[in-house]
Amino acid sequence: MTYIVALTGGIGSGKTTISNAFSSLGVPLVDADIIAREVVAPSTPALQAITTRFGTNILSPDGSLNRAMLRQKIFAAPEEKQWLNALLHPLIQIDTQRQLTQVTAPYVIWVVPLLIENNLMHLADRVLVVDVPVEVQITRTMARDGVSREQVENILAAQASRQDRLEKADDVIVNHSSEQDLTSRVVELHQQYLKQAKSVRQENRNE
């Protein structure tokens, strides 16, 4: 399998900005958030199970999952969150592995917001953390999603702490500096990952 770099970070850290920067260099992306949306698309068995569990008011007018309403329901009830995770995590994992095995590039960026929370570090060769101060996360998320400070703080409380993430990181991108700094840091890491992927391939051939 290709060399896997897991990209993670808290809400509002700018994971999409960083993953797009790698993509612009020709690096393939496997995004857990996109896969999570695909497994609950209209007419999927997972969406039917969710509708049976929570009722049809969990759907938007177009028949898609109302993710904001679902988030509210599972935040208020840990047992519902546990049920949802048991339903979706295996489906997401199956599709993630399918996509990863299809990659032919030297390495892949695997975007996993809840990498630390779900203890998935062992599935990657390298962990890249996008880091920003908590106050920046709050400000960005409020502006982006039109939510209250309290809602963002509740989400942050459910995620791994900034310190936990940094302790698990092999590499860190600080994403509250200038765009030029970000670009040069991504290019630097790109070259590093190409070398590491090549080294691992050679080791595997020699075994």
Side-chain angles (χ1 to χ4, degrees):
M1 190 183 282
T2 190
Y3 191 79
I4 300 171
V5 178
L7 171 65
T8 194
I11 189 168
S13 59
K15 295 179 294 294
T16 300
T17 299
I18 302 303
S19 62
N20 286 344
F22 278 100
S23 180
S24 71
L25 296 173
V27 182
L29 306 178
V30 173
D31 192 322
D33 267 353
I34 292 174
I35 294 170
R37 284 194 289 272
E38 290 172 347
V39 300
V40 293
S43 301
T44 57
L47 185 59
Q48 290 169 3
I50 291 169
T51 306
T52 300
R53 181 88 173 186
F54 297 106
T56 54
N57 64 343
I58 204 72
L59 300 176
S60 299
D62 64 359
S64 64
L65 179 63
N66 185 328
R67 298 171 72 87
M69 184 175 290
L70 180 63
R71 201 178 300 124
Q72 286 178 357
K73 285 183 178 292
I74 64 173
F75 259 145
E79 69 278 5
E80 298 294 3
K81 183 176 182 180
Q82 191 174 4
W83 176 86
L84 187 69
N85 287 343
L87 171 71
L88 297 183
H89 283 182
L91 299 174
I92 294 168
Q93 190 58 30
I94 289 168
D95 206 33
T96 297
Q97 289 304 312
R98 179 186 63 79
Q99 291 191 28
L100 289 172
T101 55
Q102 291 175 345
V103 173
T104 57
Y107 79 94
V108 60
I109 293 289
W110 175 33
V111 186
V112 205
L114 299 180
L115 181 82
I116 311 300
E117 292 84 346
N118 292 331
N119 200 27
L120 301 175
M121 293 81 69
H122 63 285
L123 298 176
D125 297 291
R126 197 96 182 154
V127 174
L128 171 58
V129 167
V130 185
D131 180 55
V132 295
V134 171
E135 194 57 40
V136 174
Q137 290 180 265
I138 293 171
T139 304
R140 282 182 183 169
T141 306
M142 288 172 63
R144 183 190 68 192
D145 298 344
V147 293
S148 69
R149 184 182 184 92
E150 183 183 6
Q151 286 174 296
V152 182
E153 288 175 344
N154 286 339
I155 294 169
L156 286 170
Q159 294 187 343
S161 70
R162 185 183 181 191
Q163 183 179 351
D164 284 345
R165 244 183 247 107
L166 290 173
E167 286 175 356
K168 301 292 193 305
D170 295 304
D171 304 297
V172 176
I173 289 181
V174 178
N175 188 20
H176 55 97
S177 51
S178 73
E179 186 176 334
Q180 182 58 46
D181 289 343
L182 282 179
T183 302
S184 59
R185 178 66 173 142
V186 169
V187 170
E188 175 191 345
L189 286 171
H190 176 58
Q191 297 301 327
Q192 173 188 318
Y193 295 149
L194 287 173
K195 289 176 184 174
Q196 288 168 337
K198 182 177 180 181
S199 176
V200 169
R201 278 201 311 275
Q202 288 174 339
E203 287 175 13
N204 291 340
R205 285 198 199 103
N206 294 335
E207 286 180 357

